[in-house]
Amino acid sequence: MAVTESAPVPTPAELPTTPARTPPAHEGILRRQSLRESAARTYARSLPIVPVRARGLTIEGADGRRYLDCLAGAGTLALGHNHPVVLEAVRKVLDSGAPLHALDLATPVKDAFTTELFSTLPRPLADHARIQFCSPAGTDAVEAALKLVRTATGRTGLLAFTGAYHGMTAGSLDASGGAATARVTRLPYPLNYRCPYGVGGERGAELAARWTESLLDDPKGGVPAPAAMIVEPVQGEGGVNPAPDSWMRRMREITAARSIPLIADEVQTGVGRTGAFWAVEHSGIVPDVMVLSKAIGGSLPLAVIVYREDLDVWQPGAHAGTFRGNQLAMAAGTATLAFVRENRLAERAALLGGRMLARLQGLAADHPTIGDVRGRGLMIGVELVDPERQDPHTGTASAAPALATAVQRECLRRGLIVELGGRHSSVVRLLPPLTLTDEQADAVLDRLADALAAAERATRHPTDAGPSH
Ligand code: PMP
């Protein structure tokens, strides 16, 4: 059913009046999409929107409705949609007559991007780093990182974590939590809520680290010789799980002591998102490889790995690809990185994220259906639970995926786009642009609170539910 057939929603100023009748173009586009596009389509299922214009936090659909976009290109849009500095950078390249496609040749645009990127990276890495421009998605950069460390170490095993998400191509999928393959040893990622050791916090993280260390040193542990450990400093798709800094430092010590390269997957956490320019800065660790994508392209596709120069044992052409020279993405990326740096948006994300977390914790006090509120900077998760049912493993309330789906739907009716994540898709995720204002943050949380109340009513009394989408 089309979005605009839902009942009109009480709306703050951002929402224009809802047209009386959905324009046929909008309906037709959605219908043709469902007829022609693959069954694997993802966001399109829960967000039946036809975006035609966007600026900052706001997306406007072909039906004239406006939405506050807290998915922001799955965490890509550090500056929101179509930020003026990004548009200007793209126009400048277009007007200059520079080639749009340049394979992996040197160009002034690429040179400027690399200089800007290196200026933001942890110094001990940047001072001795190489960069490999990869095919344009995050998963391509993960593949490159895995290939690099396997070539450099001559080993094939990999250490990866429960709940991890690294992408959808074969190697990245192997490294992700849903997979079980012979080459990958699955290690416990520290969880505060639902800690498998039943303690959470620093103590739970310490136990997880101890398990990792003893497994690696156990001659009968069954660990294939690892080429690397790959870790997200905050798991995103896994349900917004921030790793304690002390645990990150333990992982650095454990890997360094055993000459195992440490890969930080900062595809989602990078460029200010977590309240530091790179999330590894919170713990102060220096990884051997960093995987970067999403925000570094300033909304356009771009992915790189940056790594210690002594790992650079690749032969010429060992990792090639036609689409590694996207000049528009590099220009948009340079503008984004510089804007985040100059305007201290990482600090702003830390401050505003802290305030949003506090307000959500207040909301949790009134709603037993909120099992946990967590996050770092502007990477925020609200885990929804069924307070009357217990998770047999951890003693916490069990996940409530149906309620989470209802909250997402009610948010959409109120002009708010949110994402779901976590083991059972029961974590409502907020990834707003770092340019979010205080007023916008309030509007987002007002709509979320309202949506939660409506979803609770609807799941308790299904007849209260508004029309579905
Ligand atoms: N790593 C992490 C941590 C991610 O969050 C994602 C995407 N959500 C990826 C890798 C894969 O990136 P892409 O979807 O661009 O392939």
Side-chain angles (χ1 to χ4, degrees):
M1 198 181 287
V3 164
T4 45
E5 286 178 39
S6 56
V9 173
T11 52
E14 284 86 348
L15 285 181
T17 46
T18 306
R21 171 85 190 99
T22 305
H26 166 88
E27 279 177 0
I29 289 168
L30 287 174
R31 198 184 57 248
R32 285 190 292 282
Q33 178 184 43
S34 66
L35 288 174
R36 300 195 291 212
E37 289 189 28
S38 131
R41 54 190 198 285
T42 322
Y43 304 107
R45 288 184 186 274
S46 49
L47 306 171
I49 299 169
V50 181
V52 288
R53 257 186 302 276
R55 187 79 169 202
L57 179 66
T58 307
I59 285 187
E60 187 182 322
D63 57 356
R65 288 200 66 194
R66 291 201 197 156
Y67 302 86
L68 305 184
D69 181 11
C70 283
L71 176 52
T76 300
L77 305 171
L79 307 185
H81 291 274
N82 296 4
H83 192 280
V85 298
V86 169
L87 297 184
E88 190 193 319
V90 168
R91 276 200 198 100
K92 215 168 133 195
V93 175
L94 290 176
D95 293 345
S96 74
L100 293 180
H101 190 292
L103 295 168
D104 69 349
L105 304 183
T107 67
V109 172
K110 187 204 253 187
D111 188 54
F113 172 79
T114 307
T115 303
E116 179 61 41
L117 179 68
F118 275 36
S119 81
T120 68
L121 290 169
R123 277 267 63 82
L125 178 62
D127 288 346
H128 303 280
R130 294 289 166 142
I131 183 168
Q132 164 78 17
F133 285 84
C134 303
S135 294
T139 197
D140 299 315
V142 171
E143 297 287 347
L146 299 182
K147 191 178 182 186
L148 177 84
V149 292
R150 285 183 169 134
T151 307
T153 62
R155 306 189 287 254
T156 56
L158 181 68
L159 307 176
F161 290 93
T162 50
Y165 184 84
H166 298 291
M168 281 284 168
T169 51
S172 307
L173 266 184
D174 283 354
S176 298
T181 65
R183 291 202 296 186
V184 176
T185 302
R186 191 68 52 196
L187 300 169
Y189 194 85
L191 295 176
N192 184 38
Y193 190 64
R194 300 192 195 290
C195 170
Y197 306 107
V199 287
E202 294 281 331
R203 177 83 188 123
E206 164 57 25
L207 292 173
R210 205 188 284 186
W211 167 251
T212 291
E213 194 161 25
S214 71
L215 186 68
L216 293 182
D217 291 344
D218 183 349
K220 298 286 183 193
V223 179
M229 171 187 280
I230 183 165
V231 64
E232 296 158 86
V234 180
Q235 288 185 338
E237 308 301 323
V240 194
N241 304 311
D245 296 340
S246 56
W247 181 86
M248 285 294 286
R249 286 191 283 271
R250 280 294 296 281
M251 292 306 109
R252 178 65 286 188
E253 284 159 20
I254 288 171
T255 49
R258 292 161 184 78
S259 302
I260 301 169
L262 180 65
I263 303 171
D265 181 344
E266 290 241 27
V267 166
Q268 191 163 141
T269 51
V271 195
R273 170 65 52 198
T274 69
F277 204 100
W278 303 105
V280 289
E281 291 168 24
H282 292 296
S283 60
I285 67 154
V286 180
D288 303 299
V289 184
M290 288 178 72
V291 183
L292 313 176
S293 187
K294 291 201 195 272
I296 63 163
S299 4
L300 299 177
L302 186 60
V304 303
I305 53 172
V306 179
Y307 51 95
R308 258 182 28 219
E309 60 192 1
D310 59 295
L311 291 172
D312 198 32
V313 296
W314 268 341
Q315 296 298 313
H319 200 70
T322 307
F323 289 109
R324 294 183 297 132
N326 187 335
Q327 301 295 293
L328 294 182
M330 289 174 193
T334 308
T336 300
L337 294 171
F339 193 89
V340 171
R341 179 174 54 75
E342 286 161 6
N343 294 281
R344 307 170 87 86
L345 292 189
E347 284 168 35
R348 166 75 185 154
L351 189 76
L352 185 56
R355 275 193 222 139
M356 291 175 76
L357 274 186
R359 205 181 137 192
L360 286 167
Q361 269 143 7
L363 190 68
D366 298 334
H367 290 263
T369 53
I370 299 184
D372 193 31
V373 172
R374 55 183 180 257
R376 203 152 197 183
L378 287 173
M379 196 166 171
I380 295 173
V382 178
E383 180 152 352
L384 298 176
V385 297
D386 178 347
E388 272 144 41
R389 289 223 191 124
Q390 229 190 36
D391 173 40
H393 305 296
T394 60
T396 49
S398 58
L403 178 61
T405 304
V407 169
Q408 186 184 41
R409 194 174 52 232
E410 292 297 333
C411 282
L412 196 68
R413 295 184 64 214
R414 287 159 179 77
L416 174 64
I417 298 173
V418 297
E419 165 71 318
L420 300 182
R423 298 281 197 288
H424 306 286
S425 295
S426 56
V427 179
V428 175
R429 300 179 62 211
L430 299 176
L431 292 163
L434 313 184
T435 48
L436 192 72
T437 64
D438 292 349
E439 296 71 35
Q440 287 173 331
D442 284 341
V444 165
L445 296 182
D446 286 347
R447 291 183 196 188
L448 178 58
D450 201 38
L452 175 62
E456 284 173 347
R457 280 196 303 275
T459 44
R460 259 199 318 267
H461 310 288
T463 44
D464 286 0
S468 68
H469 302 289

